[in-house]
Amino acid sequence: MTNHDESAAVRPLTPAWVNRHLEVGERIVGTEALRGGITAEMRRLTIGTRDGGTRDLVLRTFVDVEHAGDWLNREAGALTLLQETGVPAPGLVAADPGAAHCEYPSLLMTHLAGRPVLDDEGLETRVPLLARQLLAIHALRPAERPPQYVALTTADTVVTPKGADAGAWAAAIDVIRRPVPTYEGRFLHRDFHPGNVLFDVPPSRPTGARITGVVDWAATSWGPVDLDVAHCSTNLALLHGPAWGLRFAEAYEEAGGVLAADASERLYWLVRDGPAISEEVQQVSRPWREAGRTELTTRAVEGRLDAYVTALMDSLG
């Protein structure tokens, strides 16, 4: 078996577990570490097949992560549900959320073609595609609802970036202190953003991009669609500038999505997500730099987050 790099190596107990879920005559012939994850280790496993060919699987491992078992149970449930829908998602092969067989909680799934695209080029095409894909996720009606969403920040834990517009951030924090608006619950991905969406983009024609998959379903929840829209909006603002964060909500509505009608309620959900990233800018920006966006330093991302929160307060506050 070959490893593309040392970090791709699979721990001793895990290959035996993987092998139990392969077809007769198949074996692991190669591993490759996949970049871009924040909480989980991701590896592509190349599987040698009986006819001499190969196929790929993906191994997702949570190392010393609190609530890993819950997350993997959610993901396994979501992947099972999604196989009966038109949402492009990996197929579940096996899950070991309690680490009964592997060193750490792990999940084995099929590998999807495509890659995350984080470049500015072609963004005008990709944003409507992202909006339509998220709308399709929200249209799902599972027989069993996933757990209720959990807010990722509180008014007392927000970290105002150094040099930020103090007035805008104080106003945003006051918004979070308001009572939670009433909403109609829907199936949420809860971590939908460009880094978790795979695209096929023709090299000579960025406008021909198409979505080939949506990954990372570990945070699947039940809650307001505004929250999923807010999360993707924030990520777009940090990757491409505040205007794109504001644009995504428009694209979602253009696709047929329905957001909170009241401006103050919309602001609540948008602000509920943005400042949450203030507590983990360094962790969020690192995978983007590893993917080639080297200009997105922690300081640069903090600056974009400040500009986005300020723009939200100016437009809806």
Side-chain angles (χ1 to χ4, degrees), residues 11-241:
R11 293 174 180 84
L13 294 177
T14 305
W17 173 74
V18 171
N19 285 332
R20 288 199 292 274
H21 297 283
L22 300 180
E23 299 293 331
V24 175
E26 291 188 332
R27 62 190 180 91
I28 303 171
V29 297
T31 65
E32 178 186 0
L34 300 176
R35 308 299 181 187
I38 296 177
T39 56
E41 294 180 357
M42 304 290 293
R43 295 177 178 85
R44 177 161 52 196
L45 308 182
T46 301
I47 309 300
T49 59
R50 287 180 294 177
D51 60 5
T54 62
R55 67 185 180 103
D56 290 333
L57 297 176
V58 173
L59 176 67
R60 180 171 169 86
T61 304
F62 285 93
V63 179
D64 298 329
V65 175
E66 190 177 6
H67 307 305
D70 172 61
W71 287 0
L72 287 186
N73 273 319
R74 288 198 204 195
E75 184 152 31
L79 296 185
T80 300
L81 163 70
L82 293 165
Q83 292 309 295
E84 306 300 324
T85 73
V87 175
L92 176 67
V93 176
D96 183 20
H101 307 284
C102 304
E103 285 84 352
Y104 297 99
S106 301
L107 183 141
L108 188 65
M109 58 191 138
T110 58
H111 177 266
L112 298 178
R115 61 182 177 85
V117 181
L118 307 181
D119 301 331
D120 291 334
E121 184 180 10
L123 191 58
E124 298 87 351
T125 298
R126 298 196 306 275
V127 164
L129 293 177
L130 288 168
R132 289 197 290 272
Q133 184 61 77
L134 186 57
L135 182 62
I137 292 170
H138 293 160
L140 299 176
R141 299 292 183 268
E144 183 176 346
R145 294 180 180 179
Q148 191 76 6
Y149 82 92
V150 175
L152 302 179
T153 192
T154 69
D156 297 323
T157 59
V158 172
V159 178
T160 303
K162 184 178 180 181
D165 184 324
W169 279 78
I173 291 171
D174 283 343
V175 169
I176 297 176
R177 295 187 193 279
R178 297 175 188 170
V180 178
T182 57
Y183 62 86
E184 185 175 359
R186 286 288 184 266
F187 183 86
L188 306 182
H189 182 284
R190 199 62 181 98
D191 196 18
F192 186 89
H193 61 79
N196 281 334
V197 179
L198 307 180
F199 282 90
D200 173 52
V201 183
S204 59
R205 193 166 59 92
T207 56
R210 66 182 182 89
I211 292 176
T212 59
V214 181
V215 299
D216 194 353
W217 296 85
T220 302
S221 305
W222 189 261
V225 299
D226 289 76
L227 197 55
D228 257 0
V229 171
H231 189 65
C232 191
S233 295
T234 301
N235 279 268
L236 287 168
L238 302 188
L239 279 165
H240 307 291

Side-chain angles (χ1 to χ4, degrees), residues 293-304:
R293 296 295 302 275
T294 55
E295 80 280 12
L296 294 179
T297 63
T298 299
R299 187 69 193 98
V301 174
E302 286 178 336
R304 286 191 172 182

